Amino acid sequence: MPVTFRRVTLENGLQIVGETDPAAHTASVGFFFRTGARDESSRLMGVSHFLEHMMFKGTAKRTAEQVNNDFDAIGASHNAYTTSEMTAYFAHVLPEHLAAATEILADILRPALRVEDFDEERGVILEEIAMYADQPFWVLYERAMELFYGAHPLAHRVLGTKDTISSLRRDEMAGYFENRYSADNAIVATAGRVDFDALVEHVRGLCAGWTPTKPDRSFPHWDVTDKDETIPMKNASRHYLLMGLPAPDINHRDRYVAAMLAQVLGDSDGSRLYWSLVETGLAEDASAQYDGRDGTGELLVTAVCDQKDAAEVEMICRRELANAIDGVTDDDLLRARSKIATGVTLGGERPAGRMNRLGTILTYRGEYCPLEEELNRIERVSIADLTRYVSEWPLKPRLVTRLVPAE
């Protein structure tokens, strides 16, 4: 039997979606919340990620140890993540343990938020921030996003800063949780061998007390301005380059064209940047990546090289952007399509991948798009689409940032 999509909205606004597959050997379930760093005030920056940690510190009926033991008892592969725009909690199990996994997830998503746990976990978050502060590319990326987005909340750091985490109070976190972790801001996604009707009734019972709050998301006007900055770093041994260009948002018709362009321009091998920088030995890494956001997006070009080659590498990156579609052939597009399609298909082979894809696209877009349709849209991208794209989205870097070894 083919994969079947189902969708139900409960009385309190909680959505439950699923791609059921009777032939699957496993099942997966996840809770997705439309909230992340961009939904925080500047003063509370990092609270979404901090709250993700707190979900595993215990509930009214479970200690942190019991949470881990209960997941282990059913052999669950479970995890969570926080981004600028979304937070997700999920588990991948054998079908007979799906109900138990769903119950554990629903329980931890109503955390105790005990003061002693909050104070202990603050130290863990501060250590995490310090750890990332030693990673050159991460330092460059966070600063680049601040410069690129300016006053827009997408400039917020997912981890927060030492100052914002140090000053955050438990009651402020509780207020953020009550507003953003509401029934009408959540999607429960499932995939694999699932009795969808039974899951709906199970979730209805588990989440009946979740109330709607009608949380909003701001979409301030964003003016792209040219920014250029070089950051010296003591423990850096290489030159790191990051360029940023405005790109379509995740719901724009050109999102697939942007993804295809990034593949042609900066795939890990066989791309324009690979042949001109990596294959020639000028850079050890060079890539291009399209990131579609809610309401906007960016195309990022990155390179890592020796300091003595930095000027030439930057010049070549600019040249490859300026000439990105010159000489592009149908064979080039075929290779790019094949790589994107392979990645999308591999991600959808297992229920865990399908569940994550389903929760993500419904959280961002609100509309279901079958995997097969997404592959068809990638297949339809043509050279004419790329030509139109570069006229509407000029490939001129508006942001240029560098991280260099401090003298």
Side-chain angles (χ1 to χ4, degrees):
M1 294 179 64
V3 171
T4 303
F5 173 71
R6 300 281 302 278
R7 183 176 190 171
V8 169
T9 302
L10 301 183
E11 295 78 4
N12 59 4
L14 179 66
Q15 293 185 65
I16 306 170
V17 298
E19 284 187 339
T20 62
D21 181 4
H25 297 288
T26 59
S28 192
V29 62
F31 287 71
F32 294 76
F33 295 87
R34 189 171 180 259
T35 195
R38 71 173 292 168
D39 302 297
E40 306 161 352
S41 67
S42 296
R43 209 187 86 73
L44 300 184
M45 192 190 307
V47 66
S48 300
H49 172 255
F50 195 156
L51 187 55
E52 177 206 319
H53 281 234
M54 292 298 296
M55 296 296 181
F56 295 92
K57 299 298 287 184
T59 70
K61 69 177 185 180
R62 281 184 172 94
T63 64
E65 184 179 6
Q66 287 171 329
V67 171
N68 288 328
N69 288 342
D70 287 351
F71 273 127
D72 288 343
I74 60 174
S77 174
H78 68 284
N79 214 330
Y81 62 82
T82 304
T83 71
S84 292
E85 302 179 290
M86 184 174 67
T87 310
Y89 306 81
F90 49 89
H92 192 193
V93 294
L94 295 175
E96 58 265 32
H97 298 311
L98 184 65
T102 306
E103 187 277 326
I104 298 170
L105 288 170
D107 184 41
I108 68 171
L109 289 170
R110 288 301 177 261
L113 297 182
R114 289 179 280 263
V115 173
E116 57 270 27
D117 293 332
F118 178 87
D119 292 338
E120 178 184 3
E121 204 62 23
R122 188 204 308 273
V124 174
I125 303 295
L126 290 172
E127 287 179 7
E128 188 175 1
I129 291 172
M131 178 186 70
Y132 277 101
D134 284 333
Q135 299 183 19
F137 183 79
W138 182 258
V139 172
L140 178 63
Y141 176 78
E142 286 197 317
R143 179 55 182 157
M145 291 300 96
E146 288 178 338
L147 291 169
F148 192 60
Y149 282 108
H152 193 286
L154 279 171
H156 287 175
R157 300 185 176 194
V158 172
L159 298 182
T161 68
K162 181 180 178 181
D163 289 341
T164 61
I165 296 302
S166 296
S167 64
L168 184 66
R169 297 293 172 258
R170 181 266 176 200
D171 290 347
E172 292 175 320
M173 174 182 283
Y176 179 86
F177 166 80
E178 290 168 5
N179 180 46
R180 304 299 306 185
Y181 274 72
S182 57
D184 54 345
N185 205 36
I187 292 175
V188 179
T190 187
R193 182 143 58 93
V194 178
D195 182 336
F196 187 76
D197 292 327
L199 179 73
V200 168
E201 291 310 308
H202 188 43
V203 173
R204 190 191 303 274
L206 293 171
C207 304
W210 294 19
T211 58
T213 61
K214 297 182 179 179
D216 60 355
R217 168 170 284 176
S218 65
F219 293 89
H221 179 68
W222 176 49
D223 284 323
V224 186
T225 57
D226 292 333
K227 299 288 178 60
D228 188 300
E229 185 172 294
T230 299
I231 306 165
M233 186 173 182
K234 287 184 178 179
N235 66 339
S237 60
R238 310 295 286 162
H239 180 99
Y240 295 81
L241 172 70
L242 187 153
M243 296 176 167
L245 302 83
D249 68 71
I250 200 165
N251 290 308
H252 196 281
R253 62 169 184 165
D254 283 336
R255 64 182 180 272
Y256 297 106
V257 185
M260 185 74 75
L261 178 66
Q263 191 77 20
V264 170
L265 181 64
D267 181 34
S268 57
D269 57 69
S271 66
R272 298 294 181 87
L273 291 174
Y274 174 83
W275 288 115
S276 61
L277 291 175
V278 180
E279 181 65 18
T280 61
L282 279 172
E284 61 195 60
D285 182 70
S287 65
Q289 176 179 318
Y290 161 65
D291 285 326
R293 312 278 195 160
D294 189 4
T296 185
E298 72 261 6
L299 179 69
L300 301 180
V301 172
T302 62
V304 182
C305 64
D306 191 277
Q307 184 68 23
K308 66 180 176 56
D309 298 318
E312 186 176 1
V313 166
E314 184 171 326
M315 181 271 292
I316 291 174
C317 286
R318 291 178 183 274
R319 184 191 70 199
E320 294 298 344
L321 280 167
N323 304 323
I325 64 168
D326 290 356
V328 172
T329 66
D330 288 331
D331 285 343
D332 293 329
L333 290 191
L334 177 61
R335 284 191 292 270
R337 283 194 206 100
S338 298
K339 287 210 170 186
I340 295 174
T342 298
V344 171
T345 303
L346 286 175
E349 277 192 336
R350 301 171 67 229
R354 279 191 173 267
M355 175 274 299
N356 264 299
R357 176 184 174 275
L358 189 59
T360 300
I361 64 172
L362 267 296
T363 299
Y364 270 112
R365 305 178 196 171
E367 295 182 358
Y368 175 63
C369 179
L371 178 61
E372 296 71 21
E373 174 58 24
E374 195 154 37
L375 291 173
N376 287 336
R377 293 179 183 180
I378 293 169
E379 184 69 26
R380 291 196 294 266
V381 174
S382 66
I383 293 176
D385 291 323
L386 293 180
T387 303
R388 176 183 53 77
Y389 180 94
V390 299
S391 67
E392 296 178 5
W393 301 88
L395 298 185
K396 176 185 177 183
R398 305 300 305 273
L399 167 78
V400 181
T401 53
R402 311 163 196 86
L403 187 143
V404 302
E407 294 181 1

